[in-house]
Amino acid sequence: MGGKCPHRKVKKRRLSHKTARRGKFLLKADDAVYDELVKLADQGKDAQGKDLPVDEDLPGMGQFYCLHCDRYFANESVKDDHYRSKRHKKRVKLMSGPAPHTQLDAELAAGMGMPDNGLKLMSM
């Protein structure tokens, strides 16, 4: 009478819909967002006054965008709720401070940057 139940089989784990969609709206890295904020500040514009093109693939037709968090929202009320959130406030504080680390900084720290061989003493 031994053996396994014929109805109980090991099911293959499949990716959920959420993980499949996760790559659709990739976020920019901190240094890219910081550079964009600096560029807007140099032009004398604020982060809110940016006219956005209509894009059907983005939530809210791409009209409700948070530059600090690099996120699109479905409507104005969701965007306002986001502005009051702890996550957004931390991100604004991070972006208003010193510049975040870049890929070049990481490569230099790992020893993969340009070599520093010192001064050239003689040239032939």
Side-chain angles (χ1 to χ4, degrees):
M1 295 229 189
K4 294 183 179 178
C5 177
H7 301 293
R8 182 181 293 179
K9 294 182 180 178
V10 177
K11 292 187 178 179
K12 191 175 190 179
R13 291 184 184 222
R14 290 186 171 81
L15 294 175
S16 69
H17 176 69
K18 187 175 182 179
T19 54
R21 246 183 86 122
R22 190 173 290 147
K24 187 172 183 182
F25 302 112
L26 292 176
L27 300 177
K28 294 179 194 168
D30 292 347
D31 55 337
V33 172
Y34 185 83
D35 291 341
E36 199 168 325
L37 286 169
V38 168
K39 190 184 340 173
L40 282 176
D42 290 343
Q43 294 174 355
K45 297 179 183 176
D46 61 345
Q48 304 293 333
K50 193 175 177 184
D51 292 331
L52 300 169
V54 174
D55 189 358
E56 294 177 1
D57 295 333
L58 296 172
M61 303 289 279
Q63 297 302 303
F64 309 105
Y65 179 66
C66 175
L67 183 64
H68 294 95
C69 302
D70 188 42
R71 287 188 62 191
Y72 289 93
F73 301 98
N75 54 33
E76 189 73 30
S77 64
V78 176
K79 185 174 93 170
D80 292 338
D81 290 342
H82 166 74
Y83 283 161
R84 288 189 295 269
S85 70
K86 190 175 188 178
R87 184 182 202 183
H88 174 76
K89 290 176 184 176
K90 282 185 177 182
R91 185 81 172 179
V92 169
K93 186 176 180 181
L94 176 74
M95 291 298 146
S96 63
H101 296 291
T102 62
Q103 183 64 33
L104 180 63
D105 295 337
E107 289 173 359
L108 289 173
M112 296 170 48
M114 300 181 329
D116 184 18
N117 296 331
L119 296 173
K120 217 175 194 184
L121 299 177
M122 293 188 339
S123 60
M124 291 187 192

